[in-house]
Amino acid sequence: MPYVNIKITREGATAVQKARLIAGVTELLREVLGKNPATTMVVIDEVETDNWGIGGETVTTRRARGS
Amino acid sequence: MPYVNIKITREGATAVQKARLIAGVTELLREVLGKNPATTMVVIDEVETDNWGIGGETVTTRRARGS
Amino acid sequence: MPYVNIKITREGATAVQKARLIAGVTELLREVLGKNPATTMVVIDEVETDNWGIGGETVTTRRARGS
Amino acid sequence: MPYVNIKITREGATAVQKARLIAGVTELLREVLGKNPATTMVVIDEVETDNWGIGGETVTTRRARGS
Amino acid sequence: MPYVNIKITREGATAVQKARLIAGVTELLREVLGKNPATTMVVIDEVETDNWGIGGETVTTRRARGS
Amino acid sequence: MPYVNIKITREGATAVQKARLIAGVTELLREVLGKNPATTMVVIDEVETDNWGIGGETVTTRRARGS
């Protein structure tokens, strides 16, 4: 009964891509630890680039610089 | 001074229902562990059904199938 | 299929008390939002008092002062 | 490589203020623990006042009362 | 620069299994969303079975019943 | 009433250093957003290096290589 939380920046991930993340991580937990997919829960949070920081600056600032 | 995070799918919970969750869990912590309500914090996250997975698929897909 | 995370200081909560928290919050979500207990997940984190701060100081410091 | 999550109520924090939080907490971790800013990640969640509770009631209710 | 948190019950996952989870979820994010592995962070929390609930009861209780 | 969660690897942070993190982040929120220190909560999680991954490998592996 694992719980997985995936946080990514909100930059256009599609419903299909998010479904692939959910299927993939559920399968990974089954394969590596034998966890039952029926009770594996996955929550994806999409975070505005103004609200995500790395290296002491926001992702908005990094994207503006081309990083 | 407990901190509680409740994650539910975004499917129309009303302000009144959310207030009942907050009151209820605060009272539960007072009753079971004697925690002071004044410093009990509760945060509710409502998550899109595309972003929540169980059983390896999204809640959107399950709802479409009638689960 | 809600997910609930309860964080409390590690100050001797018993297995019975933790089981009451789990049962209580699961029932609250069924009662208020009609959520299915079978897929309601609750995780309790017990945090050392050195690692929990409120009012700008650790709980260890507050407890030593009698707060 | 610390990870920091800051949750605040959604009440008008500006992009500049959020950038200051990110810069400030990254610098704090460098100063206190020598953590490398390049791999310090900060995520800010802004939470609706209906979804945040303290003292057993929502922040919406408290704000309406003038607290 | 995704951040992934995996919560599992503390029931003997080995260092090798945890390394496989980390490698696997990092690769999944690269494959599905093109995320850079160098800044993908994964944190695994192992939770005591007394502290994990599903179906309104602790995993300890479920394991004792043979579930 | 902000809530801050700081995750670091468990590599010997002292009680004094953790108290400085708590004081520092509480002051930062007061300074930048005018948040009341009395209801600012900070939780520090110290995570085993086997349980923390970056770049697709555990911190244990990176430390062994001298990174």
Side-chain angles (χ1 to χ4, degrees):
Chain A
M1 66 212 69
Y3 171 80
V4 181
N5 179 228
I6 299 175
K7 288 186 198 294
I8 53 176
T9 43
R10 189 183 294 281
E11 297 179 280
T14 65
V16 169
Q17 288 172 321
K18 292 187 282 190
R20 283 180 62 197
L21 288 180
I22 287 167
V25 77
T26 302
E27 171 57 18
L28 180 70
L29 281 154
R30 194 199 56 72
E31 187 186 310
V32 176
L33 292 175
K35 297 295 184 185
N36 181 3
T39 52
T40 295
M41 222 180 250
V42 185
V43 171
I44 300 171
D45 293 324
E46 295 172 274
V47 177
E48 303 301 325
T49 56
D50 276 358
N51 289 21
W52 193 301
I54 189 165
E57 58 186 6
T58 66
V59 174
T60 304
T61 300
R62 290 166 77 91
R63 294 285 187 259
R65 251 211 336 271
S67 297
Chain B
M1 66 212 67
Y3 170 81
V4 181
N5 180 228
I6 299 174
K7 288 186 199 296
I8 53 175
T9 43
R10 186 182 297 281
E11 297 178 280
T14 65
V16 168
Q17 289 172 320
K18 292 186 283 189
R20 283 181 62 198
L21 289 181
I22 287 167
V25 77
T26 303
E27 171 56 18
L28 180 69
L29 282 154
R30 193 198 56 71
E31 187 187 311
V32 176
L33 292 175
K35 296 297 184 184
N36 181 4
T39 52
T40 295
M41 221 179 251
V42 186
V43 171
I44 300 171
D45 292 323
E46 295 172 274
V47 177
E48 304 301 326
T49 55
D50 275 358
N51 288 20
W52 192 301
I54 188 164
E57 58 186 5
T58 67
V59 175
T60 304
T61 299
R62 290 166 77 89
R63 294 287 187 256
R65 252 213 330 275
S67 299
Chain C
M1 65 214 68
Y3 171 81
V4 181
N5 179 229
I6 299 175
K7 288 186 198 294
I8 53 175
T9 43
R10 187 184 295 281
E11 297 179 280
T14 65
V16 169
Q17 289 172 320
K18 292 186 283 190
R20 283 181 61 198
L21 289 180
I22 287 166
V25 77
T26 302
E27 171 56 18
L28 180 70
L29 282 154
R30 193 199 56 72
E31 188 186 307
V32 176
L33 292 175
K35 296 297 185 184
N36 181 4
T39 52
T40 295
M41 222 180 250
V42 186
V43 171
I44 300 171
D45 292 324
E46 296 173 274
V47 176
E48 303 301 325
T49 56
D50 275 359
N51 289 20
W52 193 300
I54 188 164
E57 58 186 7
T58 67
V59 175
T60 304
T61 299
R62 291 166 77 90
R63 294 286 186 257
R65 253 212 334 273
S67 299
Chain D
M1 66 212 68
Y3 170 81
V4 181
N5 180 228
I6 299 174
K7 288 186 199 295
I8 53 175
T9 43
R10 186 182 296 281
E11 298 180 279
T14 65
V16 168
Q17 288 172 321
K18 292 187 282 190
R20 283 180 62 198
L21 288 181
I22 288 167
V25 77
T26 303
E27 171 57 18
L28 181 70
L29 281 154
R30 194 200 56 71
E31 188 185 308
V32 176
L33 291 176
K35 295 297 183 183
N36 181 3
T39 52
T40 294
M41 222 180 250
V42 185
V43 171
I44 299 171
D45 292 323
E46 295 173 274
V47 177
E48 303 301 325
T49 56
D50 276 357
N51 289 20
W52 193 300
I54 188 164
E57 57 185 7
T58 66
V59 175
T60 304
T61 299
R62 291 165 77 89
R63 294 287 187 258
R65 253 212 333 274
S67 298
Chain E
M1 66 211 70
Y3 171 80
V4 181
N5 180 228
I6 299 174
K7 287 187 200 293
I8 53 175
T9 43
R10 186 183 297 282
E11 297 180 279
T14 65
V16 168
Q17 289 171 320
K18 292 186 282 189
R20 283 180 62 197
L21 289 180
I22 288 167
V25 77
T26 303
E27 171 57 17
L28 180 70
L29 281 154
R30 193 199 56 70
E31 188 186 307
V32 176
L33 292 175
K35 296 295 184 184
N36 181 3
T39 53
T40 295
M41 223 179 250
V42 185
V43 171
I44 299 170
D45 292 324
E46 295 172 275
V47 177
E48 303 301 326
T49 56
D50 276 357
N51 289 20
W52 193 300
I54 188 163
E57 58 186 6
T58 66
V59 175
T60 304
T61 299
R62 291 166 77 90
R63 294 287 187 257
R65 252 213 331 275
S67 299
Chain F
M1 65 214 66
Y3 171 80
V4 181
N5 180 227
I6 300 175
K7 288 186 198 294
I8 53 176
T9 43
R10 187 183 296 282
E11 297 178 280
T14 65
V16 169
Q17 288 172 320
K18 292 187 281 191
R20 284 180 62 198
L21 289 180
I22 287 167
V25 78
T26 302
E27 171 56 19
L28 180 69
L29 281 154
R30 194 199 55 71
E31 187 186 310
V32 176
L33 293 175
K35 296 295 184 184
N36 181 4
T39 52
T40 295
M41 222 179 250
V42 185
V43 171
I44 300 171
D45 292 323
E46 295 173 274
V47 177
E48 303 302 325
T49 56
D50 275 358
N51 289 21
W52 194 302
I54 189 165
E57 59 186 5
T58 67
V59 175
T60 304
T61 299
R62 291 165 76 91
R63 294 287 187 257
R65 253 212 333 273
S67 297

